[in-house]
Amino acid sequence: MEQQEKDFSRMIREQKATIYTVCYMFSKDKEEIDDLFQEVLVKLWQGYDSFQGKSDLRTWIYRVSLNTCISIDRKKKRRKTQPLLEGVDLFDKNDADNRQTDLLHERIGKLQAFDRAIVLLWLENLSYEEIAQIVGISVKNVSVKLYRIKEQLKQM
């Protein structure tokens, strides 16, 4: 295996949870999450040579993951497909913590893709500066957006 492939594999092993977390915010379906994860890996590999280290590696991975998931989410919304297994619940709803998590996930899922990305990064305990760098807006704008998003979630 070539050194570049070894480095890429190591990077993916170290950042797998970050990528999966982003993918999870854009779908509830396990197979779709796996598809998103795979697509993010393809995009990361395609851009791996051009990553110049101007930002932190984790920041770059977040940016690629979010952009990939947002792009796929937009395409999915234009298609307007019907799920094949309507009414079938793929996740266990018996646990109170799972119900709370599902409720939060459902509410976040109703947000616009960009707002979902900001909430995800905030829930990952990234600083406002890191969020601003990843999504490409000012720190002040991150603060304002998070306040508005929280208010929007309270109203749901």
Side-chain angles (χ1 to χ4, degrees):
M1 185 183 279
E2 188 178 315
Q3 185 61 39
Q4 182 181 16
E5 292 173 9
K6 288 180 183 178
D7 292 343
F8 183 79
S9 293
R10 182 178 37 77
M11 176 191 76
I12 296 303
R13 279 192 308 277
E14 292 171 358
Q15 298 296 325
K16 182 178 180 179
T18 299
I19 300 166
Y20 186 78
T21 301
V22 172
C23 295
Y24 182 76
M25 290 303 293
F26 285 86
S27 180
K28 297 176 188 173
D29 178 60
K30 171 96 172 83
E31 288 180 19
E32 189 175 18
I33 292 169
D34 291 342
D35 290 344
L36 288 171
F37 186 87
Q38 189 70 29
E39 190 63 33
V40 169
L41 291 183
V42 169
K43 296 295 184 184
L44 287 170
W45 177 251
Q46 289 172 342
Y48 192 64
D49 282 340
S50 62
F51 176 67
Q52 300 170 351
K54 290 181 181 176
S55 66
D56 181 60
L57 180 64
R58 188 169 180 227
T59 300
W60 177 70
I61 290 172
Y62 264 121
R63 184 179 285 266
V64 171
S65 300
L66 286 168
N67 287 340
T68 302
C69 290
I70 288 170
S71 177
I72 291 171
D73 188 59
R74 286 181 184 146
K75 290 176 187 175
K76 183 175 70 173
K77 286 183 178 177
R78 282 187 292 222
R79 279 189 298 189
K80 302 278 187 189
T81 59
Q82 284 289 350
L84 294 177
L85 302 173
E86 221 173 292
V88 175
D89 188 8
L90 301 176
F91 296 96
D92 179 22
K93 303 285 186 196
N94 295 328
D95 185 39
D97 289 337
N98 285 347
R99 285 193 299 273
Q100 287 291 340
T101 302
D102 289 343
L103 180 60
L104 179 61
H105 188 267
E106 179 184 323
R107 288 180 179 182
I108 291 172
K110 293 178 183 178
L111 297 171
Q112 296 294 320
F114 188 74
D115 291 345
R116 270 187 278 162
I118 291 173
V119 168
L120 163 71
L121 297 171
W122 180 73
L123 289 172
E124 287 287 306
N125 293 321
L126 270 67
S127 69
Y128 283 17
E129 291 80 13
E130 290 172 306
I131 295 171
Q133 186 179 12
I134 291 168
V135 298
I137 60 177
S138 71
V139 175
K140 180 67 176 169
N141 202 348
V142 169
S143 174
V144 171
K145 283 200 161 289
L146 275 172
Y147 175 80
R148 290 180 181 164
I149 292 167
K150 289 175 191 175
E151 290 301 312
Q152 189 176 356
L153 289 172
K154 287 178 188 176
Q155 298 300 318
M156 291 183 184

Short mmCIF file of all heavy atoms in Angstrom, two decimals, residues 77-108:
data_model
loop_
_atom_site.label_atom_id
_atom_site.label_comp_id
_atom_site.label_asym_id
_atom_site.label_seq_id
_atom_site.Cartn_x
_atom_site.Cartn_y
_atom_site.Cartn_z
N LYS A 77 -34.23 16.33 -1.59
CA LYS A 77 -35.48 17.09 -1.43
C LYS A 77 -36.11 17.42 -2.77
O LYS A 77 -37.32 17.54 -2.87
CB LYS A 77 -35.23 18.36 -0.63
CG LYS A 77 -35.04 18.06 0.84
CD LYS A 77 -34.87 19.30 1.66
CE LYS A 77 -34.73 18.89 3.11
NZ LYS A 77 -34.49 20.00 3.99
N ARG A 78 -35.29 17.55 -3.81
CA ARG A 78 -35.83 17.82 -5.14
C ARG A 78 -36.49 16.59 -5.73
O ARG A 78 -37.40 16.69 -6.54
CB ARG A 78 -34.74 18.31 -6.08
CG ARG A 78 -34.37 19.76 -5.86
CD ARG A 78 -33.43 20.22 -6.92
NE ARG A 78 -32.16 19.53 -6.74
CZ ARG A 78 -30.98 20.10 -6.86
NH1 ARG A 78 -30.88 21.34 -7.20
NH2 ARG A 78 -29.87 19.41 -6.67
N ARG A 79 -36.03 15.39 -5.33
CA ARG A 79 -36.56 14.15 -5.88
C ARG A 79 -37.93 13.79 -5.32
O ARG A 79 -38.70 13.12 -5.99
CB ARG A 79 -35.61 12.99 -5.63
CG ARG A 79 -34.48 12.94 -6.61
CD ARG A 79 -33.73 11.68 -6.41
NE ARG A 79 -33.18 11.70 -5.05
CZ ARG A 79 -32.32 10.83 -4.58
NH1 ARG A 79 -31.93 9.85 -5.33
NH2 ARG A 79 -31.86 10.93 -3.36
N LYS A 80 -38.21 14.12 -4.07
CA LYS A 80 -39.49 13.81 -3.42
C LYS A 80 -39.84 12.34 -3.51
O LYS A 80 -40.83 11.95 -4.11
CB LYS A 80 -40.63 14.63 -4.05
CG LYS A 80 -40.43 16.12 -4.00
CD LYS A 80 -40.83 16.65 -2.68
CE LYS A 80 -40.77 18.16 -2.74
NZ LYS A 80 -40.93 18.82 -1.55
N THR A 81 -39.03 11.48 -2.91
CA THR A 81 -39.29 10.04 -2.93
C THR A 81 -40.12 9.63 -1.73
O THR A 81 -40.15 10.31 -0.71
CB THR A 81 -37.98 9.23 -2.91
OG1 THR A 81 -37.26 9.58 -1.73
CG2 THR A 81 -37.15 9.51 -4.15
N GLN A 82 -40.79 8.50 -1.85
CA GLN A 82 -41.56 7.91 -0.77
C GLN A 82 -40.76 6.76 -0.17
O GLN A 82 -40.21 5.95 -0.90
CB GLN A 82 -42.90 7.37 -1.29
CG GLN A 82 -43.93 8.42 -1.55
CD GLN A 82 -44.46 9.03 -0.26
OE1 GLN A 82 -44.19 8.55 0.83
NE2 GLN A 82 -45.19 10.10 -0.40
N PRO A 83 -40.70 6.64 1.14
CA PRO A 83 -39.99 5.51 1.74
C PRO A 83 -40.71 4.20 1.43
O PRO A 83 -41.94 4.17 1.39
CB PRO A 83 -40.01 5.81 3.23
CG PRO A 83 -41.08 6.82 3.43
CD PRO A 83 -41.25 7.55 2.13
N LEU A 84 -39.95 3.14 1.22
CA LEU A 84 -40.54 1.84 0.91
C LEU A 84 -41.21 1.21 2.12
O LEU A 84 -42.23 0.54 1.99
CB LEU A 84 -39.46 0.89 0.38
CG LEU A 84 -38.85 1.26 -0.96
CD1 LEU A 84 -37.74 0.28 -1.32
CD2 LEU A 84 -39.92 1.25 -2.05
N LEU A 85 -40.65 1.41 3.30
CA LEU A 85 -41.18 0.79 4.50
C LEU A 85 -41.88 1.82 5.37
O LEU A 85 -41.43 2.15 6.45
CB LEU A 85 -40.04 0.13 5.29
CG LEU A 85 -39.25 -0.93 4.54
CD1 LEU A 85 -38.05 -1.38 5.37
CD2 LEU A 85 -40.14 -2.12 4.22
N GLU A 86 -42.98 2.32 4.92
CA GLU A 86 -43.69 3.35 5.65
C GLU A 86 -44.22 2.80 6.96
O GLU A 86 -44.78 1.71 7.01
CB GLU A 86 -44.85 3.87 4.81
CG GLU A 86 -44.97 5.37 4.91
CD GLU A 86 -46.00 5.90 3.95
OE1 GLU A 86 -45.75 5.83 2.75
OE2 GLU A 86 -47.02 6.35 4.43
N GLY A 87 -44.01 3.52 8.04
CA GLY A 87 -44.51 3.12 9.33
C GLY A 87 -43.64 2.12 10.06
O GLY A 87 -43.94 1.75 11.18
N VAL A 88 -42.55 1.67 9.48
CA VAL A 88 -41.65 0.72 10.13
C VAL A 88 -40.57 1.52 10.86
O VAL A 88 -39.89 2.34 10.26
CB VAL A 88 -41.01 -0.24 9.11
CG1 VAL A 88 -39.99 -1.14 9.80
CG2 VAL A 88 -42.08 -1.05 8.42
N ASP A 89 -40.44 1.28 12.15
CA ASP A 89 -39.47 2.00 12.96
C ASP A 89 -38.18 1.18 13.06
O ASP A 89 -38.20 0.07 13.58
CB ASP A 89 -40.05 2.26 14.35
CG ASP A 89 -39.17 3.16 15.18
OD1 ASP A 89 -38.20 3.71 14.64
OD2 ASP A 89 -39.47 3.32 16.37
N LEU A 90 -37.07 1.73 12.58
CA LEU A 90 -35.81 1.01 12.56
C LEU A 90 -34.99 1.19 13.83
O LEU A 90 -33.98 0.54 14.01
CB LEU A 90 -34.99 1.45 11.35
CG LEU A 90 -35.65 1.23 10.00
CD1 LEU A 90 -34.79 1.80 8.89
CD2 LEU A 90 -35.93 -0.23 9.76
N PHE A 91 -35.41 2.11 14.72
CA PHE A 91 -34.67 2.36 15.95
C PHE A 91 -35.54 2.06 17.16
O PHE A 91 -36.75 2.21 17.13
CB PHE A 91 -34.21 3.83 16.00
CG PHE A 91 -33.24 4.17 14.91
CD1 PHE A 91 -33.67 4.76 13.73
CD2 PHE A 91 -31.90 3.90 15.06
CE1 PHE A 91 -32.78 5.07 12.73
CE2 PHE A 91 -30.99 4.22 14.05
CZ PHE A 91 -31.44 4.80 12.89
N ASP A 92 -34.92 1.63 18.25
CA ASP A 92 -35.62 1.28 19.48
C ASP A 92 -36.14 2.54 20.15
O ASP A 92 -35.39 3.44 20.48
CB ASP A 92 -34.68 0.53 20.41
CG ASP A 92 -35.33 0.15 21.72
OD1 ASP A 92 -36.57 0.07 21.76
OD2 ASP A 92 -34.59 -0.10 22.69
N LYS A 93 -37.45 2.58 20.40
CA LYS A 93 -38.07 3.76 21.01
C LYS A 93 -38.45 3.51 22.47
O LYS A 93 -39.11 4.33 23.08
CB LYS A 93 -39.34 4.15 20.23
CG LYS A 93 -39.13 4.43 18.78
CD LYS A 93 -38.47 5.74 18.59
CE LYS A 93 -38.41 6.05 17.09
NZ LYS A 93 -37.50 7.07 16.76
N ASN A 94 -38.08 2.39 23.04
CA ASN A 94 -38.52 2.04 24.38
C ASN A 94 -37.79 2.81 25.47
O ASN A 94 -38.33 3.04 26.54
CB ASN A 94 -38.35 0.54 24.62
CG ASN A 94 -39.25 -0.27 23.71
OD1 ASN A 94 -40.35 0.18 23.37
ND2 ASN A 94 -38.80 -1.44 23.30
N ASP A 95 -36.58 3.21 25.23
CA ASP A 95 -35.77 3.90 26.22
C ASP A 95 -36.11 5.39 26.24
O ASP A 95 -36.24 6.03 25.19
CB ASP A 95 -34.29 3.69 25.88
CG ASP A 95 -33.37 4.27 26.91
OD1 ASP A 95 -33.68 4.17 28.12
OD2 ASP A 95 -32.33 4.83 26.52
N ALA A 96 -36.25 5.96 27.44
CA ALA A 96 -36.59 7.38 27.57
C ALA A 96 -35.51 8.27 26.96
O ALA A 96 -35.83 9.28 26.31
CB ALA A 96 -36.79 7.75 29.04
N ASP A 97 -34.24 7.91 27.14
CA ASP A 97 -33.16 8.70 26.55
C ASP A 97 -33.25 8.67 25.03
O ASP A 97 -33.02 9.68 24.37
CB ASP A 97 -31.80 8.18 27.00
CG ASP A 97 -31.52 8.48 28.45
OD1 ASP A 97 -32.12 9.43 29.00
OD2 ASP A 97 -30.68 7.77 29.05
N ASN A 98 -33.56 7.51 24.47
CA ASN A 98 -33.71 7.40 23.01
C ASN A 98 -34.86 8.27 22.51
O ASN A 98 -34.75 8.88 21.46
CB ASN A 98 -33.94 5.95 22.59
CG ASN A 98 -32.68 5.12 22.65
OD1 ASN A 98 -31.58 5.65 22.77
ND2 ASN A 98 -32.83 3.81 22.57
N ARG A 99 -35.94 8.32 23.27
CA ARG A 99 -37.08 9.16 22.85
C ARG A 99 -36.70 10.64 22.86
O ARG A 99 -37.05 11.37 21.95
CB ARG A 99 -38.29 8.90 23.76
CG ARG A 99 -38.99 7.58 23.47
CD ARG A 99 -40.34 7.50 24.16
NE ARG A 99 -40.26 7.59 25.60
CZ ARG A 99 -40.06 6.56 26.43
NH1 ARG A 99 -39.92 5.35 25.96
NH2 ARG A 99 -40.00 6.76 27.74
N GLN A 100 -35.97 11.06 23.90
CA GLN A 100 -35.52 12.46 23.96
C GLN A 100 -34.57 12.77 22.80
O GLN A 100 -34.68 13.82 22.16
CB GLN A 100 -34.82 12.74 25.30
CG GLN A 100 -35.74 12.84 26.47
CD GLN A 100 -36.62 14.08 26.39
OE1 GLN A 100 -36.32 15.05 25.71
NE2 GLN A 100 -37.71 14.04 27.11
N THR A 101 -33.65 11.87 22.55
CA THR A 101 -32.70 12.05 21.46
C THR A 101 -33.43 12.09 20.12
O THR A 101 -33.14 12.93 19.27
CB THR A 101 -31.66 10.91 21.46
OG1 THR A 101 -30.99 10.91 22.73
CG2 THR A 101 -30.64 11.08 20.36
N ASP A 102 -34.39 11.19 19.95
CA ASP A 102 -35.16 11.16 18.71
C ASP A 102 -35.96 12.44 18.52
O ASP A 102 -36.07 12.96 17.41
CB ASP A 102 -36.10 9.95 18.67
CG ASP A 102 -35.35 8.65 18.50
OD1 ASP A 102 -34.17 8.69 18.08
OD2 ASP A 102 -35.94 7.58 18.76
N LEU A 103 -36.54 12.96 19.61
CA LEU A 103 -37.31 14.20 19.53
C LEU A 103 -36.41 15.36 19.12
O LEU A 103 -36.75 16.15 18.24
CB LEU A 103 -37.98 14.50 20.87
CG LEU A 103 -38.81 15.78 20.95
CD1 LEU A 103 -39.96 15.75 19.95
CD2 LEU A 103 -39.34 15.97 22.36
N LEU A 104 -35.23 15.43 19.73
CA LEU A 104 -34.28 16.49 19.37
C LEU A 104 -33.84 16.33 17.92
O LEU A 104 -33.80 17.30 17.16
CB LEU A 104 -33.06 16.45 20.30
CG LEU A 104 -31.97 17.48 20.01
CD1 LEU A 104 -32.51 18.89 20.13
CD2 LEU A 104 -30.79 17.27 20.96
N HIS A 105 -33.53 15.10 17.52
CA HIS A 105 -33.11 14.83 16.14
C HIS A 105 -34.22 15.21 15.16
O HIS A 105 -33.95 15.79 14.10
CB HIS A 105 -32.73 13.35 16.00
CG HIS A 105 -32.10 13.02 14.69
ND1 HIS A 105 -32.81 12.57 13.62
CD2 HIS A 105 -30.81 13.09 14.28
CE1 HIS A 105 -32.00 12.37 12.61
NE2 HIS A 105 -30.78 12.68 12.98
N GLU A 106 -35.46 14.90 15.52
CA GLU A 106 -36.60 15.24 14.66
C GLU A 106 -36.73 16.76 14.49
O GLU A 106 -36.92 17.26 13.39
CB GLU A 106 -37.88 14.68 15.26
CG GLU A 106 -39.13 14.98 14.46
CD GLU A 106 -40.38 14.47 15.17
OE1 GLU A 106 -40.32 13.40 15.79
OE2 GLU A 106 -41.41 15.17 15.10
N ARG A 107 -36.61 17.48 15.59
CA ARG A 107 -36.70 18.94 15.52
C ARG A 107 -35.55 19.54 14.73
O ARG A 107 -35.75 20.43 13.92
CB ARG A 107 -36.74 19.53 16.93
CG ARG A 107 -38.04 19.28 17.63
CD ARG A 107 -38.06 19.87 19.00
NE ARG A 107 -39.35 19.64 19.64
CZ ARG A 107 -39.65 20.09 20.84
NH1 ARG A 107 -38.77 20.80 21.53
NH2 ARG A 107 -40.83 19.84 21.34
N ILE A 108 -34.35 19.05 14.96
CA ILE A 108 -33.20 19.54 14.22
C ILE A 108 -33.36 19.23 12.75
O ILE A 108 -32.99 20.03 11.88
CB ILE A 108 -31.88 18.97 14.80
CG1 ILE A 108 -31.63 19.56 16.19
CG2 ILE A 108 -30.71 19.25 13.88
CD1 ILE A 108 -30.48 18.92 16.93
#
